[in-house]
Amino acid sequence: MKSSKDGIVAFEQNFGAFYGERWPGLKTALIAEPKRVELKNPFDENLQNYILDEASLLPVEHLAPQAGEAVADFCASPGGKLIASIFQTHGQAQYVASDLSAPRVARL
């Protein structure tokens, strides 16, 4: 019977072989506690701010939607990226959001 230590060793060997010299940095990132970002609501300062994982903002920052543009998110649930995009444009863009998972859409 294999022990959990055997599984950890196999995990390290497999991912180390696959990612090579990048593995130590990737492993550190996987273990680290995610950084949280608090988004201020630009529509109503009395509403609670939206807190999400910093990595969720990368697609929004990279695409940098502008006011007047059309934005589509077809894997939108639970909605963090979409809300960040809406906040970034102050709601001055056209948005389409959907997701294949009915339970996730209900949460969205």
Side-chain angles (χ1 to χ4, degrees):
M1 186 163 140
K2 289 187 175 184
S3 71
S4 62
K5 185 175 181 180
D6 293 333
I8 292 170
V9 170
F11 180 88
E12 286 283 340
Q13 289 173 341
N14 289 333
F15 281 88
F18 185 78
Y19 288 107
E21 64 186 39
R22 295 182 0 193
W23 176 238
L26 292 169
K27 179 179 161 186
T28 300
L30 288 170
I31 294 170
E33 187 68 28
K35 294 179 183 173
R36 302 286 182 208
V37 175
E38 185 173 356
L39 299 178
K40 305 267 186 226
N41 188 321
F43 304 108
D44 187 342
E45 63 186 41
N46 296 318
L47 292 177
Q48 183 176 359
N49 294 329
Y50 195 82
I51 299 172
L52 60 135
D53 188 296
E54 181 181 50
S56 297
L57 293 176
L58 293 176
V60 176
E61 291 171 354
H62 178 72
L63 296 174
Q66 302 297 311
E69 289 184 336
V71 177
D73 187 347
F74 296 109
C75 194
S77 183
K81 293 182 297 295
L82 187 64
I83 286 180
S85 177
I86 292 168
F87 285 4
Q88 184 177 20
T89 64
H90 295 274
Q92 298 300 310
Q94 297 175 10
Y95 295 93
V96 174
S98 68
D99 200 290
L100 287 176
S101 167
R104 290 174 58 101
V105 170
R107 290 193 304 266
L108 176 63

